[in-house]
Structures are given as structure tokens and as C-alpha cells.
Amino acid sequence: MEDADFDDPAHRIRTGRLATATARNAAQQWGCEARFGERLSTVPLPVADDEDVPLEEADGTCEGVPARGRTFARAWESDRGGAPQEKCSVGNSGGTPLYALRAFYGPYATSARAAWAKRYSFEETIPGRAPSGTLHDGGMWATATCPAPFAGETALFTIDPLDRKREKSTREETAYERAALKAFAEASAEHHGCSAPRLP
């Protein structure tokens, strides 16, 4: 079975049955007690909310985030609600997330800033203390002022490259990070009734 089959809803029943048969055989081989449910239905299982979709079809937390050719053409997202945390990941057509965009509201924003203060305690500039900026190890952050229930708290939006091997962002990567963060932060802030984000 090809690797791609595991992410294809049409092949999930077959994959589930294969996993169940393997578990059953292992239990018999090693004398383990195992309880197995009913045989899986032949109806294809639904796609979960956090599975990847073409970026141009994103309608949740990744809606409006720009693609960059085939390099960043897929999105992993959740429905956009009033959650105090939101996440959108973008990546390539091979199914690999390359950037994570996050929104933090209320105490989650405070906690994220505290974690940064601890992580970057030896740096001259602590991320999150200014309205926007560039992260030390790649990525950027932005902020927005929000009403109740997060009144008095400054929302925090970030974009982080998931490939930490690179030493320095290229001009093209920096431009993409800025554009993606802008689209993500503006959509999230608007949905939460916050001010327009202050962007790097």
C-alpha cells in the first residue's frame, strides 16, 4: 500500500482493517487479551477537520493565507470559532507542513509571552514585548487589542518556520512570512472583534 493511501479517505477502511488484523494476529501470537469491535463499515470514513486541503479552498483558520506556488499549496486548519487559540499550518503538496501560524488570546497570549521571556532571557530583545517584530530563530509576531472577554489583553499572532535547520531566512521567505502573517492575523482579529493587527 502506498504511503499516500493512508491520507485518502477512500482507502481508510482497508487501512483500518489491515491494522485491526495485525493487532489481532499479534494478540494471538503473544497470548494477549484483546477486545475487538465490529467489522469496519464499507462506507469511506469522513475527512477530519485538521486534514490538509488545497490552500485556495481553505475556509477555516487558514482562509485567505496566500499560497506560494507548489511549495506552500496545502493547509491544515480547524474551524474558525471564538477559541482563545487558533492554528493554521501551510505546507507542500507532499503533505509536509512548513509553517505554523498561531493566534493567542487572553491568558494564552500572556502565557506565550512568558514562555518567550524565559526562552530568550539571555537575548537583548525579548520577543513579544514590542507590538510586532521578528523572532530570533525565524518567524515573526504581530499584536492586536481586543474587547471582552479578552479586554485588557493584547492578542498575539505568530508565524514560525517548522524547518529549524536553515540559518537565515531568504528575502523571499521573509516576504512570504510577512504576507501570510498579515492575512492570518487580520482574519483572526476581525473574527474576534479585535483592532487591526500591528504587523512587522
Side-chain angles (χ1 to χ4, degrees), residues 109-110 112-136 141-143 154 156 198:
T110 302
R113 284 188 181 86
W116 275 349
K118 185 175 182 180
R119 180 176 175 183
Y120 298 112
S121 60
F122 298 104
E123 297 286 349
E124 188 175 324
T125 304
I126 304 292
R129 290 196 176 159
S132 63
T134 303
L135 296 171
H136 296 288
W141 84 87
T143 59
T154 303
L156 181 64
R198 288 163 286 185

Side-chain angles (χ1 to χ4, degrees), residues 159-189:
I159 181 167
D160 291 300
L162 300 178
D163 179 8
R164 295 292 183 187
K165 295 177 184 176
R166 68 186 194 191
E167 293 182 10
K168 191 175 181 182
S169 297
T170 65
R171 184 176 300 156
E172 184 182 13
E173 287 167 336
T174 300
Y176 178 78
E177 289 172 9
R178 187 170 283 110
L181 179 62
K182 180 179 189 295
F184 174 76
E186 287 179 348
S188 182

Side-chain angles (χ1 to χ4, degrees), residues 61-62 65 75-77 86-90 99-102 184:
T61 53
C62 292
V65 173
W76 291 258
E77 62 177 355
E86 293 182 347
K87 182 178 179 183
C88 161
S89 296
V90 295
Y99 278 101
L101 294 127
R102 294 181 178 88
F184 174 76

Side-chain angles (χ1 to χ4, degrees), residues 12-191:
R12 288 187 181 165
I13 297 300
R14 187 172 54 177
T15 303
R17 287 178 178 162
L18 175 64
T20 302
T22 301
R24 189 184 311 276
N25 290 340
Q28 290 174 350
Q29 174 70 27
W30 298 101
C32 300
E33 290 185 23
R35 290 176 33 201
F36 296 93
E38 298 177 9
R39 182 175 170 82
L40 291 172
S41 167
T42 56
V43 177
L45 299 176
V47 175
D49 286 343
D50 61 350
E51 291 188 83
D52 66 304
V53 297
L55 195 48
E56 66 273 9
E57 294 177 16
D59 60 3
T61 53
C62 292
E63 184 175 11
V65 173
R68 198 177 96 189
R70 290 178 56 84
T71 308
F72 306 130
R74 305 293 294 181
W76 291 258
E77 62 177 355
S78 58
D79 291 335
R80 177 156 275 152
Q85 287 191 80
E86 293 182 347
K87 182 178 179 183
C88 161
S89 296
V90 295
N92 62 30
S93 56
T96 304
L98 300 171
Y99 278 101
L101 294 127
R102 294 181 178 88
F104 303 93
Y105 294 89
Y108 291 93
T110 302
S111 178
R113 284 188 181 86
W116 275 349
K118 185 175 182 180
R119 180 176 175 183
Y120 298 112
S121 60
F122 298 104
E123 297 286 349
E124 188 175 324
T125 304
I126 304 292
R129 290 196 176 159
S132 63
T134 303
L135 296 171
H136 296 288
D137 48 359
M140 300 175 182
W141 84 87
T143 59
T145 303
C146 300
F150 307 118
E153 299 283 353
T154 303
L156 181 64
F157 310 96
T158 64
I159 181 167
D160 291 300
L162 300 178
D163 179 8
R164 295 292 183 187
K165 295 177 184 176
R166 68 186 194 191
E167 293 182 10
K168 191 175 181 182
S169 297
T170 65
R171 184 176 300 156
E172 184 182 13
E173 287 167 336
T174 300
Y176 178 78
E177 289 172 9
R178 187 170 283 110
L181 179 62
K182 180 179 189 295
F184 174 76
E186 287 179 348
S188 182
E190 181 179 0
H191 188 80

